[in-house]
Amino acid sequence: MKIVAGNSNPQIAEAIGAYLNIPLTKASVRRFSDQEVFVEVQENVRGEDVFVIQSTSYPANDHLMELLVIIDALRRASARRITAVLPYFGYARQDRKPGPRTPISAKLVANLITTAGADRVLTIDLHAGQIQGFFDIPTDNLYALPVLCRDIEERYQGQKLMIVSPDVGGVVRARQFAKRLKAPLAIIDKRRESANTSEVMNIIGDVSGHTCLMVDDIVDTAGTLCNAADALRQAGAEDVSAYVSHGVLSGGAVARLGASALKELVITDSIHATEAVRVSQRVRRISVAPLIAEAMNRISHETSVSSLFD
């Protein structure tokens, strides 16, 4: 078993290697002067089971290209099996045609990864579960829910919790949290007037006197979470925090969080943290490296991955 890391998130790759007690395979992933990606794997990988760890986060196109070139290099070096490990799968929000003459970019990226030579894919909390079907190779979609719920149980024991879905599309995910935590569920009905903007319209459920925990898979500009937090506080919620799998946090998201009614945003380390995220008092990160490492170990040894969530 070999582990190769791109440049998108070296910290999680090192944490996974430490958990498995496997040093990262020596590889050079660099740029020519015109920013073309060049990859050189500096160890023998012939006949090996190789895992490539690379989130396709900002800059998404550069990191995606790195992933494809690394996979091609490993395939040409005669690796026995190549598993693309994407803690965060970019382009997942473009999983359907919302209007005429628009792409389904998630399918395009799935085709690129397959064509490059990956034999299987391992990721966490896809934006839409049907993206698994976009791949013509085995795809394991892990869930951060057990890791996040464990943190909630430790920090909010004995409190009057309410799980909140920040939009109607996230109800299934929020219901899973509510069921595991034995907490009631509320839903925020919002109308999105344009991309990356949202307006809270109504709260379905009585949140008065509750500690509200919003759950979602991706937070980008944080506009939805901040608007929702304000609405929940106005509706009588005691405190409002959020648990989100992937902290994209682009633009002025961190500053927006600091000025909002949101007490805390908890994200995983699936995406490399910017300096603004690292120093923020409102953002806390928890690691999913042990979860990914355990799944990789089970894939390598041909044992059940789904039993991780039993």
Side-chain angles (χ1 to χ4, degrees):
M1 182 177 177
K2 296 277 190 179
I3 302 174
V4 177
N7 292 322
S8 69
N9 196 343
Q11 286 81 8
I12 197 171
E14 290 167 1
I16 289 170
Y19 182 93
L20 295 171
N21 198 26
I22 298 174
L24 299 182
T25 298
K26 293 179 182 177
S28 174
V29 183
R30 58 184 189 271
R31 301 286 192 276
F32 289 115
S33 60
D34 64 352
Q35 298 305 301
E36 281 187 13
V37 176
F38 176 75
V39 172
E40 182 181 8
V41 181
Q42 297 168 334
E43 293 183 24
N44 180 27
V45 296
R46 184 179 296 273
E48 297 281 2
D49 191 10
V50 185
F51 292 81
V52 183
I53 302 173
Q54 177 83 333
S55 287
T56 50
S57 51
Y58 176 85
N61 298 334
D62 286 357
H63 289 153
L64 174 60
M65 198 64 201
E66 277 188 16
L67 173 65
L68 300 177
V69 177
I70 291 170
I71 291 172
D72 185 72
L74 292 169
R75 180 172 61 87
R76 295 177 187 279
S78 302
R80 177 173 58 85
R81 181 172 64 179
I82 303 167
T83 301
V85 181
L86 292 88
Y88 170 67
F89 181 81
Y91 285 100
R93 287 171 285 183
Q94 301 176 48
D95 62 322
R96 65 193 186 284
K97 282 175 64 71
R101 296 171 296 282
T102 56
I104 304 179
S105 302
K107 172 59 176 171
L108 172 62
V109 172
N111 288 345
L112 289 170
I113 292 172
T114 304
T115 302
D119 296 296
R120 69 183 302 131
V121 169
L122 176 65
T123 188
I124 291 184
D125 281 342
L126 284 170
H127 183 61
Q130 66 265 21
I131 294 175
Q132 286 179 281
F134 292 177
F135 288 92
D136 295 324
I137 54 178
T139 302
D140 293 298
N141 181 30
L142 306 180
Y143 303 104
L145 181 147
V147 177
L148 299 178
C149 282
R150 192 179 308 121
D151 187 83
I152 292 171
E153 289 166 348
E154 291 172 356
R155 288 182 169 262
Y156 294 93
Q157 188 173 10
Q159 295 191 35
K160 192 178 179 182
L161 293 181
M162 172 79 76
I163 302 301
V164 181
S165 173
D167 55 38
V168 175
V171 171
V172 173
R173 181 182 302 103
R175 187 181 293 122
Q176 291 172 337
F177 274 83
K179 182 178 179 181
R180 188 175 183 116
L181 296 167
K182 297 180 174 60
L185 175 66
I187 303 166
I188 293 181
D189 172 39
K190 73 176 191 319
R191 180 178 301 162
R192 188 179 295 278
E193 302 294 343
S194 61
N196 288 334
T197 63
S198 65
E199 179 185 357
V200 174
M201 301 298 292
N202 194 27
I203 297 174
I204 304 170
D206 182 11
V207 300
S208 179
H210 288 80
T211 297
C212 290
L213 300 178
M214 290 186 286
V215 296
D216 210 347
D217 63 324
I218 297 173
V219 53
D220 189 352
T221 62
T224 295
L225 289 185
C226 293
N227 290 345
D230 293 339
L232 290 167
R233 288 304 301 270
Q234 291 171 12
E238 290 289 334
D239 271 318
V240 183
S241 296
Y243 279 75
V244 182
S245 301
H246 307 298
V248 177
L249 297 175
S250 62
V254 176
R256 191 173 293 113
L257 288 167
S260 74
L262 197 68
K263 181 180 180 182
E264 183 182 51
L265 169 64
V266 181
I267 58 177
T268 74
D269 57 351
S270 63
I271 294 175
H272 180 69
T274 62
E275 182 62 24
V277 171
R278 283 193 291 270
V279 302
S280 174
Q281 299 297 312
R282 295 286 186 97
V283 183
R284 181 164 57 88
R285 300 171 77 229
I286 56 180
S287 183
V288 288
L291 174 65
I292 297 174
E294 187 58 38
M296 288 167 54
N297 190 52
R298 294 182 181 211
I299 289 170
S300 184
H301 290 89
E302 306 291 351
T303 58
S304 172
V305 173
S306 61
S307 61
L308 270 171
F309 306 100
D310 290 344

